[in-house]
Amino acid sequence: MAKKARSARKSPRPAAVPSSRRLLSRLSSFMDSSVDAFVILDEDLNFVSINPAAREMFGLTEDVIGKNVADIVPGIKEAGIYDKYLSVVKTGVPLPIEDVAPGSRFGDIRLNVKAFKAGSGLGVIAADITEQKRVEEELRRKEEHFRSLIENSLDAVGVLNADGSLRYQSPSIQRLMGYTVEERIDRSPFEVVHPDDLPRAAELFSGLLQRPGDTVRSEVRIQYKDGSWHTIEVIARNLLDDPVVGGIVANLRDITERKEMEEALRESEEFSASLLRDSPNPIIVINPDSSIRYVNPALEELTGFSSSELIGTMIPYPWWTEETLQKTGEAVKEWMYRGPTGLKKFYAEERFRKKNGEHFWVELSTTMVEGDCGLKYYLTNWVDITERREMEEALRRSEYNYRLLLDSTLDGLIVVDAETMKVVFGNRRASRLFGYGSVEEGIGVHILDFVQPEDRELVVKGFARDLFIAERRQVYELKTKTREGREIWVSALATRIEYEGRLAVLLSIRDITERKRAEEESHRMEEQVRLAGRLAAVGELAAGVAHELNNPLAAIQGFAQLLASKKNLDESIREDVEAIYSEAKRAGRITGNLLSFARRHHPEKKIVSINDALEKSLELHAYRMKVNNIEVHEDLDPDLPMTMADFHQMQEVFVNLLTNAEQAMTEASGRGKLLVRTRKAGDMIRISFIDDGPGIPEEDLKRLFDPFFTTKEAGRGTGLGLSICYGLVGSHGGHIYVKSMPGKGANFTVEIPIVAEGQNGAE
């Protein structure tokens, strides 16, 4: 079939065919070295030539030469592209197409196709823009992270309102067109569009407004500030419905040079030279010995090296870095020295260094160009991918910094899916707080697993009410548990968010366990202060009552003694008078105790034996203990030191405690055992009263020393006994406390400091 195609090319043809052949001859070197697919068709759209890139990209072979493109490309006529190609041949007007090519050995690929008149036939250049499309999509999703990169892009980026006015313009507009941002903001971009292109541009804009989310691509001529006209490739997308953007985003790229190269293709006599000279991509021609034969201006501009500095230079080239030399240098040398017997092309992505020391990235393709006598030279094409690599690196750094920021915060952060209530994201602080070795271990855990069972319903209802109904942020303080079951208190700020397209809750969690403990301690201290305040108030009241009762009691005692002294008094009456006198003295002692409770001056202290005071108190209670079946065991330290104390006040304290123990055991079982013990404990004397009575409920322990608090029946106790003891012991600088559990008796302990004579005791 190939022979038949060649014979067909040798048969007489219109004058345009030789022109196509001459063009083909001039283009052959460029076509062979091009990284883009390049196809030449005659005026009837029969294949004349295909370059290696086209064979590689579409799986074509030399068998297609002479065949019609409609026989090789399925669906080209149905899609209307065949007629458009014929129109380009007739009119000479180039045709840009963006398409998807299925069925290549690499799978489906995205193409940017340019069809233009070449001689009497048609030239078609197809560039693989699959990677470009992938990067564009990635940039679209991450565009807010790369705003600074966009503003410094070689392309200009603008955002238009629905009325066509320009709301945002990247600073690169000045570098591209000469206008400052201020000169273009709130102006219509159509003001600088060429009059011949204006109707089509307006029509495309109007149509795009009706298609939210759609993208259009077009080429228009734009007048720069200096008055020159340039061809601009415009890619516009309707993001008016996007809450972040709210406008039409337009990317403007000056493709004037590319258009000029297309024009150079049509000017067959100078095409090859102009392509090299005017190519926006750097191009290098290298001799077989690795010396540089030619560099185009784009390479000079990119690297900063002039052609005079580069011509004749051999490996290693001045833009190579140490990394290039180590990683790629030997491979390139081996490939070049192997010559035509090896692979025909070499591809790589490399990081090079400019003359001024700046680094840049290129995608390079080097092709062996052979002649009749063997290898003629190497043709290398560069594509500057610095911006793309910087964007990819910026994305990587952004994600790393974002994670580093989250992991550095003092608060735990957890994202909970609103539907499943499971953890979908967390930082290291949160994982450590709840006992997980890594963040990954906590992903997928149900949030209620951290909550105490009694609080789970409250948490679920709170989330529903505050976040999904009221739409407000809310702070919760609750007791949670870790993976090991340890209880901790946390403060959680809950905020409704959207995470990866789903409704979620962001929890900012802080461990407040220590704060809660401090609050409990503070409450305990407040309770002690409150108790002291109540005792002070009762003291004032007791002082007043005692003073009021003392005078009438003194009169009663005086008159009773006067009556009892009469010799002619009947004995029965005398006994009654003596009873009156005895009870009046008892009432006097009670008022004395009240005055002692309210005393604001130092008690009358002297060196006393605590054991003596305790024994006298036991003597007073010996009879009552015996009749009530109470066994009293004394364990008094014979070496107990003397101390400064008020003997009678100590006796009052001991009598009160003995009375309480006796009554508790008698009422509970009619019998009991009481152990009374004294010991020296450091610089204190400790007196313990341990009974086997019914014990004291936990809720009563906190109020036991409150004035007027009693657990006895009405009329059987005043509730002042223990509060008086509390005051008397406190006036000696001591302590009184109790330990008890229901059913296990009670242990009242009094601690009095050891104070030698001449020392100042506690108030």
Side-chain angles (χ1 to χ4, degrees):
M1 182 178 292
K3 292 180 180 178
K4 184 177 180 181
R6 284 196 293 273
S7 64
R9 290 197 294 276
K10 292 178 182 178
S11 61
R13 297 189 56 96
V17 175
S19 174
S20 296
R21 289 177 180 167
R22 289 195 299 272
L23 174 62
L24 177 59
S25 176
R26 297 185 185 98
L27 296 179
S28 61
S29 294
F30 171 74
M31 291 176 61
D32 288 344
S33 64
S34 174
V35 295
D36 295 334
F38 202 148
V39 177
I40 300 293
L41 307 174
D42 63 19
E43 67 271 21
D44 296 324
L45 303 188
N46 297 316
F47 282 96
V48 174
S49 177
I50 58 175
N51 74 338
R55 291 194 292 272
E56 180 78 8
M57 189 178 297
F58 303 118
L60 300 176
T61 66
E62 291 295 330
D63 292 341
V64 303
I65 302 301
K67 294 182 180 180
N68 193 273
V69 69
D71 298 330
I72 302 302
V73 182
I76 191 171
K77 286 188 175 182
E78 291 79 354
I81 298 176
Y82 190 87
D83 292 336
K84 291 180 180 179
Y85 280 176
L86 289 175
S87 176
V88 173
V89 174
K90 292 177 182 179
T91 64
V93 178
L95 174 66
I97 303 173
E98 186 174 311
D99 201 1
V100 177
S104 76
R105 68 190 183 90
F106 300 110
D108 293 352
I109 56 177
R110 300 290 295 271
L111 298 174
N112 188 0
V113 181
K114 297 291 183 181
F116 54 89
K117 190 169 183 180
S120 61
L122 184 71
V124 180
I125 298 177
D128 183 352
I129 60 172
T130 307
E131 180 64 15
Q132 175 187 340
K133 287 298 181 181
R134 184 193 69 78
V135 173
E136 287 178 357
E137 178 62 19
E138 183 70 11
L139 290 177
R140 185 197 66 77
R141 293 189 299 105
K142 300 290 185 178
E143 60 186 1
E144 60 269 21
H145 292 286
F146 306 119
R147 183 182 184 92
S148 62
L149 291 176
I150 290 175
E151 292 182 345
N152 292 282
S153 171
L154 294 176
D155 297 343
V157 179
V159 179
L160 287 74
N161 296 314
D163 62 1
S165 61
L166 195 61
R167 187 172 80 225
Y168 168 79
Q169 180 65 67
S170 65
S172 56
I173 190 68
Q174 186 169 8
R175 181 174 62 252
L176 186 67
M177 300 181 183
Y179 299 104
T180 64
V181 173
E182 291 75 18
E183 289 174 329
R184 297 308 312 155
I185 290 299
D186 296 328
R187 301 287 296 275
S188 171
F190 299 101
E191 295 174 354
V192 293
V193 176
H194 195 282
D196 294 342
D197 297 341
L198 188 58
R200 181 168 56 89
E203 181 181 357
L204 287 173
F205 181 78
S206 178
L208 184 61
L209 287 175
Q210 309 304 317
R211 302 189 302 276
D214 204 355
T215 301
V216 297
R217 183 191 300 267
S218 182
E219 295 178 3
V220 295
R221 286 169 289 177
I222 299 292
Q223 188 175 35
Y224 282 14
K225 189 175 182 179
D226 62 5
S228 61
W229 291 94
H230 292 254
T231 302
I232 302 296
E233 183 184 56
V234 181
I235 302 174
R237 183 166 188 183
N238 186 344
L239 295 178
L240 286 167
D241 292 341
D242 190 314
V244 176
V245 181
I248 294 179
V249 179
N251 186 286
L252 286 73
R253 174 174 293 178
D254 191 336
I255 59 171
T256 305
E257 290 185 2
R258 193 176 77 194
K259 300 298 290 186
E260 289 173 353
M261 282 192 292
E262 293 172 359
E263 181 67 19
L265 283 172
R266 289 189 290 272
E267 299 172 358
S268 59
E269 296 298 313
E270 301 178 358
F271 172 70
S272 297
S274 63
L275 178 66
L276 294 174
R277 183 180 64 250
D278 298 330
S279 171
N281 293 332
I283 298 175
I284 316 169
V285 179
I286 304 174
N287 293 317
D289 64 354
S290 84
S291 63
I292 296 176
R293 179 191 299 183
Y294 168 82
V295 295
N296 72 340
L299 188 136
E300 293 180 289
E301 181 180 355
L302 179 61
T303 65
F305 294 101
S306 66
S307 60
S308 61
E309 293 177 286
L310 298 176
I311 299 302
T313 303
M314 301 178 69
I315 289 178
Y317 300 122
W319 52 77
W320 279 16
T321 63
E322 290 297 326
E323 182 182 4
T324 307
L325 190 60
Q326 295 174 8
K327 185 183 74 172
T328 312
E330 291 302 321
V332 171
K333 286 181 182 179
E334 182 181 353
W335 179 76
M336 294 181 72
Y337 293 153
R338 189 178 299 168
T341 60
L343 297 173
K344 304 300 182 183
K345 284 194 175 183
F346 181 86
Y347 297 96
E349 285 191 5
E350 291 294 338
R351 182 172 178 258
F352 291 150
R353 182 175 55 239
K354 297 182 181 181
K355 186 176 181 179
N356 62 8
E358 294 180 7
H359 289 87
F360 63 98
W361 281 89
V362 297
E363 182 181 76
L364 64 85
S365 169
T366 301
T367 304
M368 293 182 178
V369 179
E370 299 178 63
D372 296 336
C373 299
L375 179 63
K376 292 175 61 178
Y377 55 83
Y378 299 97
L379 185 63
T380 299
N381 286 271
W382 286 1
V383 177
D384 185 359
I385 60 171
T386 305
E387 189 172 339
R388 191 193 81 194
R389 292 299 294 256
E390 287 178 349
M391 289 180 178
E392 291 172 351
E393 178 63 18
L395 175 61
R396 186 193 66 78
R397 287 198 306 268
S398 175
E399 292 176 347
Y400 172 78
N401 291 335
Y402 176 65
R403 167 59 70 177
L404 183 63
L405 177 64
L406 292 181
D407 287 340
S408 300
T409 181
L410 296 177
D411 292 340
L413 297 176
I414 296 176
V415 177
V416 181
D417 185 88
E419 181 178 349
T420 65
M421 296 294 285
K422 291 184 177 181
V423 175
V424 295
F425 174 84
N427 67 349
R428 291 181 183 175
R429 174 59 179 163
S431 64
R432 290 195 297 266
L433 182 63
F434 289 101
Y436 288 89
S438 66
V439 172
E440 290 71 20
E441 290 182 18
I443 301 300
V445 176
H446 201 288
I447 190 62
L448 293 183
D449 290 349
F450 301 124
V451 182
Q452 298 290 351
E454 61 269 19
D455 294 333
R456 290 176 180 175
E457 184 178 357
L458 176 66
V459 170
V460 172
K461 289 182 178 179
F463 275 15
R465 180 185 68 251
D466 296 329
L467 298 175
F468 307 125
I469 299 176
E471 299 186 8
R472 63 184 179 185
R473 302 172 73 193
Q474 184 65 33
V475 176
Y476 300 89
E477 288 191 0
L478 65 160
K479 186 185 291 184
T480 61
K481 59 181 180 180
T482 65
R483 189 182 191 182
E484 301 85 4
R486 181 171 56 89
E487 291 185 350
I488 58 173
W489 276 92
V490 299
S491 172
L493 172 61
T495 307
R496 189 175 75 173
I497 63 170
E498 184 176 309
Y499 182 79
E500 295 185 348
R502 291 174 60 88
L503 188 61
V505 178
L506 172 63
L507 296 174
S508 179
I509 300 173
R510 179 167 297 180
D511 186 350
I512 59 170
T513 305
E514 291 302 321
R515 194 193 82 190
K516 284 292 186 180
R517 289 174 180 168
E519 289 176 354
E520 290 177 1
E521 179 64 19
S522 176
H523 291 159
R524 189 182 68 80
M525 296 298 294
E526 289 175 1
E527 183 67 20
Q528 291 182 355
V529 172
R530 185 178 63 83
L531 175 61
R534 285 200 301 268
L535 290 175
V538 171
E540 295 289 343
L541 176 63
V545 172
H547 280 296
E548 291 296 324
L549 291 178
N550 268 341
N551 290 333
L553 285 174
I556 292 172
Q557 290 182 52
F559 282 112
Q561 282 183 311
L562 182 62
L563 285 174
S565 65
K566 291 183 178 182
K567 296 180 179 180
N568 58 350
L569 190 65
D570 186 86
E571 284 301 318
S572 62
I573 296 175
R574 188 185 302 278
E575 290 177 359
D576 292 338
V577 171
E578 289 177 351
I580 291 172
Y581 176 73
S582 176
E583 290 303 314
K585 286 183 66 176
R586 179 173 176 274
R589 287 197 302 272
I590 292 174
T591 58
N593 286 336
L594 288 175
L595 286 172
S596 295
F597 178 74
R599 185 187 301 273
R600 293 183 180 271
H601 57 275
H602 293 288
E604 184 181 354
K605 297 177 182 177
K606 57 185 178 180
I607 294 295
V608 299
S609 168
I610 295 298
N611 282 347
D612 287 348
L614 193 55
E615 287 176 344
K616 289 187 179 295
S617 301
L618 288 169
E619 288 175 3
L620 292 175
H621 266 274
Y623 176 75
R624 293 182 58 84
M625 294 290 186
K626 183 177 181 180
V627 298
N628 288 317
N629 299 314
I630 305 297
E631 296 181 22
V632 179
H633 299 276
E634 299 181 25
D635 183 12
L636 308 183
D637 184 358
D639 299 323
L640 199 67
M642 307 281 278
T643 187
M644 291 287 292
D646 187 304
F647 185 91
H648 297 289
Q649 288 184 353
M650 288 296 98
Q651 190 176 17
E652 181 73 16
V653 170
F654 300 154
V655 168
N656 264 304
L657 295 177
L658 290 169
T659 301
N660 286 344
E662 173 218 327
Q663 291 177 350
M665 290 184 286
T666 301
E667 292 175 2
S669 59
R671 64 178 57 250
K673 294 181 180 181
L674 174 65
L675 172 63
V676 181
R677 176 186 294 149
T678 60
R679 289 290 185 273
K680 179 178 180 293
D683 58 353
M684 306 288 284
I685 295 174
R686 181 177 296 156
I687 308 100
S688 300
F689 299 84
I690 305 171
D691 66 58
D692 63 352
I696 303 170
E698 183 179 358
E699 60 270 18
D700 291 342
L701 287 175
K702 296 180 180 180
R703 303 180 57 196
L704 207 59
F705 296 102
D706 285 6
F708 303 111
F709 175 77
T710 181
T711 58
K712 300 174 183 177
E713 297 178 4
R716 296 200 58 190
T718 63
L720 288 174
L722 287 178
S723 63
I724 290 174
C725 293
Y726 186 92
L728 294 177
V729 173
S731 70
H732 283 72
H735 311 284
I736 181 170
Y737 52 89
V738 61
K739 295 180 181 178
S740 178
M741 291 182 63
K744 295 187 178 181
N747 180 358
F748 281 84
T749 300
V750 176
E751 292 182 344
I752 301 297
I754 300 173
V755 181
E757 188 172 8
Q759 290 182 331
N760 290 326
E763 291 294 328

